[in-house]
């Protein structure tokens, strides 16, 4: 069950290395502080899960933010009612978002294409509005769901006295804010990534790709495609729920704005920017968008003046004037132009760019060797070769 | 009216299909005998493809039933009908263009072994040695081994057709439906396909072929039914049908040389 093909194992190890050393290599970019690192890990997990649905089956859900929100609420309620243990909170988040995804998916998957997208969007917006109105006893409406000193926390209080200040989430004494929180999120991300790899290389994953490629052929080939898609939908909903749970673990409050359609849209952007259907692409997309949102948006004119200080004064003034429109509050402009460029020139996202560049390098290095490098891939796998 | 005899495997019983006011199929009654190759010919718009669509569950008949071995197929979904042993080759190849040739052939093998749905989430495809071997064999048989890891969408039309046939045959269906398997092919490719189909004829599979090319029909079919304007106007061996003046008038446009 834990064996994966060699190529996937290498990808996984590299990915783990990159994720776990993030506090080091992100510091030159000014992004190496726990709050943002946690977000990087959490939104990467969200994108990995979303890709199981959108990337593999091609069904574009516009409502995954709803599962993120449900996960957050479930986690905070688990803190309030049971314990500050993050594992328990994530289990609750997973179960509730899974149930939610099952219900929404069951109805939405009656339709395909644009109608499916609209249905998921409608459900998500409905959840968002309900969180502010009818469901406010559960969601605490606009104030958001927060911890209070009077929370029952039944399991925790069996073992300890009620403290005088608000508790924070902790895993057997390790606090879940700060770098420890990041590493907790990172480990969950790696587990999620591993599972996504397993799914993508399983017969189940092959069927999902078959649905994306030619759903009619799947039917005439003897596959009942509905349960395949529903399973994919529920799994990716659970990923979103766990991501929502992690948001609550690192910062124990939940608000309905997490469920708004813009959050779903952002997720679609992440996936397309990075590369639909690739495992690593959506993660890169998530990191870029979160980096822009948190760092780029904080740039101001004085930073730009420093940056362009080497230019003559009058040119510097002009360059700063132009470029200042693209940073700070204008970061959406940069992101938008980047998105347009990627979609127009690299329909496969950033991963397609990476692939093109690497194949170009391989060819330049040695045109004959390229043939040999590719060939073992192209040959039928000898049956003696074992996946490690 | 055809009596369904004891070795009839598929029986299309009094099937009627209308689209609005158009009678695409009118009281079509056909019995397909086990192990034979049964050709259905007829001019364009005669209802040949509609007939196949009714058999595979794509279209519900307005009236009448389709029976496979005593089990009624009418009302079942395409995937259930496939699971019961009916595979279909389409007029324009229906394959998985984004998947490799290898995966294209493996997927139907999984459907055959694991059924319409199976939660094999954590099994690696590479551990499925039996299915991989089976797929490799059939790919070699069909002369597609040079492109086994190519995306199927990049294949030529003739190769796509061959691939689709391989996808159907790996399931070892009881009944294989072929919708103009040689349409748009060169003479050479047509002959290769005829040879391929002759080879699988010996395996005892029942085949239903819709075909325009009389050369193909007369080299393969044991039994021919002629469909014109939704009705069966003649049935019999290729020679009987060839000699039938009604057929010559409706379809062959005079005499067939």
């Amino acid at each position: 069950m834990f064996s994966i093909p060699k190529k996937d194992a290498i990808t996984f190890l590299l990915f783990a290395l990159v994720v776990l050393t993030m506090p080091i290599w992100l510091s030159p970019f000014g992004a190496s502080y726990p709050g943002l690192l946690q977000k990087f890990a959490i939104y990467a997990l969200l994108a990995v899960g979303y890709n199981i649905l959108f990337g593999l089956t091609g069904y574009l859900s516009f409502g995954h933010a709803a599962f993120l929100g449900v996960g957050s609420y479930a986690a905070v309620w688990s803190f309030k009612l049971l314990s500050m243990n993050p594992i328990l909170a994530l289990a609750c988040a997973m179960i509730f978002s899974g149930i939610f995804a099952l219900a929404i998916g069951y109805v939405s998957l009656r339709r395909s294409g644009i109608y499916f997208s609209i249905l998921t969007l409608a459900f998500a917006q409905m959840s968002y509005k309900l969180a502010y109105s009818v469901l406010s006893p559960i969601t605490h409406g606009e104030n958001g769901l927060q911890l209070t000193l009077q929370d029952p926390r039944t399991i925790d209080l069996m073992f300890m006295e009620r403290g005088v200040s608000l508790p924070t989430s902790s895993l057997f004494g390790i606090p879940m804010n700060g770098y420890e929180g990041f590493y907790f999120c990172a480990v969950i991300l790696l587990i999620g990534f591993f599972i996504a790899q397993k799914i993508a290389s399983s017969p189940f994953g092959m069927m999902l790709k078959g649905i994306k490629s030619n759903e009619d052929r799947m039917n005439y080939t003897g596959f009942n495609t509905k349960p395949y898609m529903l399973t994919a939908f529920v799994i990716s909903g659970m990923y979103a729920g766990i991501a929502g749970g992690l948001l609550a673990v690192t910062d124990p409050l939940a608000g309905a704005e997490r469920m708004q359609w813009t959050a779903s849209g952002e997720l679609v952007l992440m996936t397309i920017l990075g590369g639909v259907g690739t495992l690593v692409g959506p993660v890169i997309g998530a990191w870029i968008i979160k980096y822009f949102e948190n760092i780029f948006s904080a740039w101001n004119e004085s930073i730009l003046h420093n940056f362009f200080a080497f230019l003559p004064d009058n040119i510097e003034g002009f360059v700063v004037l132009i470029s200042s429109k693209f940073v700070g509050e204008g970061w959406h402009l940069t992101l938008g132009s980047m998105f347009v460029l990627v979609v127009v020139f690299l329909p496969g996202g950033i991963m397609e760019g990476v692939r093109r560049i690497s194949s170009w390098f391989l060819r330049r290095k040695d045109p004959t060797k390229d043939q040999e490098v590719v060939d073992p891939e192209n040959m039928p796998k000898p049956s003696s070769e074992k996946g490690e | 009216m055809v009596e369904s005899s004891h070795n009839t495997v598929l029986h299309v019983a009094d099937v009627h299909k209308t689209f609005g006011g158009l009678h695409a199929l009118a009281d079509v009654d056909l019995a397909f005998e086990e192990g034979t190759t049964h050709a259905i010919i007829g001019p364009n718009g005669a209802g040949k493809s509609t007939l196949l669509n009714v058999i595979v569950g794509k279209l519900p008949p307005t009236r009448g039933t389709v029976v496979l071995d005593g089990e009624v197929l009418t009302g079942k979904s395409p995937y259930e009908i496939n699971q019961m042993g009916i595979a279909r080759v389409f007029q324009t190849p229906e394959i998985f263009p984004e998947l490799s040739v290898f995966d294209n052939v493996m997927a139907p093998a999984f459907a055959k072994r694991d059924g319409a749905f199976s939660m094999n989430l954590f099994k690696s495809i590479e551990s499925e040695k039996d299915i991989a071997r089976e797929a490799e064999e059939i790919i070699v048989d069909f002369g597609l081994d040079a492109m086994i890891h190519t995306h199927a969408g990049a294949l030529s039309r003739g190769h796509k057709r061959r691939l689709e046939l391989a996808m159907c045959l790996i399931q070892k269906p009881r009944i294989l439906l072929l919708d103009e398997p040689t349409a748009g092919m060169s003479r050479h490719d047509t002959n290769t396909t005829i040879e391929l189909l002759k080879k699988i004829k010996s395996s005892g599979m029942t085949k239903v072929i819709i075909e325009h090319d009389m050369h193909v029909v007369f080299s393969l079919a044991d039994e021919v039914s002629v469909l014109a304007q939704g009705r069966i106007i003649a049935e019999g061996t290729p020679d009987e049908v060839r000699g039938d003046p009604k057929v010559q008038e409706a379809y062959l446009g005079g005499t067939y040389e």
Side-chain angles (χ1 to χ4, degrees), chain A residues 133-332:
Chain A
S133 52
V134 184
L135 293 178
S136 51
I138 299 173
T139 61
H140 292 205
E142 287 182 23
N143 298 325
L145 188 61
Q146 295 175 21
L147 301 180
T148 64
L149 285 171
Q150 290 78 42
D151 288 335
R153 294 209 314 282
T154 35
I155 297 177
D156 277 3
L157 293 181
M158 279 192 276
F159 302 105
M160 57 179 97
E161 291 293 301
R162 191 183 281 279
V164 285
S165 60
L166 278 180
T168 53
S169 174
S170 65
L171 180 65
F172 310 119
I174 309 168
M176 282 296 122
N177 42 24
Y179 284 103
E180 295 86 349
F182 161 69
Y183 280 107
F184 180 71
C185 297
V187 168
I188 304 281
L189 167 62
L190 292 178
I191 295 171
F193 189 82
F194 181 79
I195 292 174
Q197 270 188 320
K198 289 287 302 180
I199 291 175
S201 65
S202 69
F204 182 85
M206 183 198 260
M207 303 327 156
L208 298 185
K209 290 175 204 159
I211 290 172
K212 181 180 185 178
S213 189
N214 190 342
E215 196 174 340
D216 277 346
R217 191 14 121 190
M218 286 298 281
N219 285 320
Y220 293 118
T221 299
F223 289 108
N224 187 3
T225 51
K226 285 281 179 297
Y228 277 102
M229 285 184 296
L230 189 58
T231 311
F233 192 88
V234 171
I235 290 173
S236 81
M238 283 175 164
Y239 268 80
I242 292 173
L246 282 173
L247 285 175
V249 165
T250 53
D251 183 13
L253 60 93
E257 74 287 343
R258 260 172 216 168
M259 303 169 102
Q260 213 185 349
W261 70 272
T262 47
S264 302
E266 194 183 70
L267 184 53
V268 179
L269 287 191
M270 289 172 183
T271 312
I272 293 177
L273 190 64
V276 183
T278 61
L279 273 163
V280 184
V283 175
I284 295 175
W287 287 346
I288 289 175
I289 287 184
K290 285 295 144 189
Y291 182 79
F292 271 69
E293 188 183 292
N294 290 281
I295 302 293
F296 217 62
S297 63
W299 284 21
N300 53 27
E301 286 200 18
S302 69
I303 293 180
L304 287 175
H305 275 294
N306 286 333
F307 191 77
F308 291 113
F310 62 92
L311 294 169
D313 270 358
N314 49 348
I315 300 179
E316 186 197 321
F318 181 70
V319 170
V320 168
L321 181 72
I322 297 294
S323 52
S324 65
K325 304 294 177 221
F326 287 86
V327 299
E329 283 179 352
W331 70 274
H332 282 112

Side-chain angles (χ1 to χ4, degrees), chain B residues 28-81:
Chain B
V28 170
D29 202 283
L30 284 167
F32 300 99
E33 308 293 314
E34 180 116 51
T36 60
T37 301
H38 195 133
I40 296 168
I41 62 173
N44 280 328
K48 306 185 296 289
S49 290
T50 307
L51 178 65
L52 286 199
N53 286 340
V54 167
I55 295 175
V56 298
K58 189 180 179 183
L59 291 173
T62 314
R63 213 169 57 219
T65 49
V66 180
V67 183
L68 174 73
D69 257 350
E71 252 192 284
V72 177
L73 298 184
T74 317
K76 288 197 183 342
S77 348
Y79 76 85
E80 290 171 306
I81 291 174

Side-chain angles (χ1 to χ4, degrees), chain B residues 230-248:
Chain B
R231 288 178 189 283
I232 303 285
I233 57 165
E235 273 188 296
T237 63
D239 285 328
E240 286 166 11
V241 168
R242 199 180 345 208
D244 192 321
K246 253 196 309 186
V247 177
Q248 291 181 349

Side-chain angles (χ1 to χ4, degrees), chain B residues 166-210:
Chain B
M167 289 163 72
C168 288
L169 287 177
I170 199 170
Q171 294 192 315
K172 302 190 179 67
R174 299 200 55 193
I175 296 173
L176 178 64
L177 308 176
L178 298 136
D179 196 347
E180 302 202 23
T182 64
M185 275 192 185
S186 68
R187 203 71 193 161
H188 173 76
D189 284 348
T190 302
N191 286 334
T192 321
T193 310
I194 291 176
E195 288 315 309
L196 261 174
L197 291 173
K198 271 189 181 157
K199 232 196 309 187
I200 50 174
K201 190 175 172 177
S202 50
S203 64
M205 190 182 297
T206 309
K207 287 193 288 297
V208 178
I209 300 188
I210 285 181

Side-chain angles (χ1 to χ4, degrees), chain A residues 1-6 194-229 231 235 375-388, chain B residues 53 56-58 78-80 82-83 86-90 93-99 102-104 106-126 128-129 133 136 145-146 148-150 164 167-168 171:
Chain A
M1 176 167 168
F2 290 103
S3 72
I4 50 173
K6 206 173 269 167
F194 181 79
I195 292 174
Q197 270 188 320
K198 289 287 302 180
I199 291 175
S201 65
S202 69
F204 182 85
M206 183 198 260
M207 303 327 156
L208 298 185
K209 290 175 204 159
I211 290 172
K212 181 180 185 178
S213 189
N214 190 342
E215 196 174 340
D216 277 346
R217 191 14 121 190
M218 286 298 281
N219 285 320
Y220 293 118
T221 299
F223 289 108
N224 187 3
T225 51
K226 285 281 179 297
Y228 277 102
M229 285 184 296
T231 311
I235 290 173
D375 250 353
E377 282 281 295
N378 282 348
M379 294 304 280
K381 295 257 153 49
S383 41
S384 61
E385 192 177 302
K386 276 211 178 89
E388 238 112 9
Chain B
N53 286 340
V56 298
K58 189 180 179 183
Y79 76 85
E80 290 171 306
N82 174 279
Q83 287 288 347
I86 298 185
R88 174 177 181 184
V89 173
F90 286 79
E94 290 276 348
I95 51 170
F96 304 115
E98 285 84 8
L99 303 190
F102 195 36
D103 288 357
N104 265 274
M106 273 175 61
F110 279 118
K112 172 81 178 175
R113 194 195 65 185
D114 298 339
F117 176 67
S118 134
M119 280 266 256
N120 35 13
L121 279 167
F122 296 112
K123 244 186 201 168
S124 164
I125 293 177
E126 297 201 356
E128 302 281 3
K129 304 256 187 279
R133 201 171 311 120
E136 272 168 35
D145 39 331
I148 187 163
H149 287 283
T150 317
E164 196 188 20
M167 289 163 72
C168 288
Q171 294 192 315

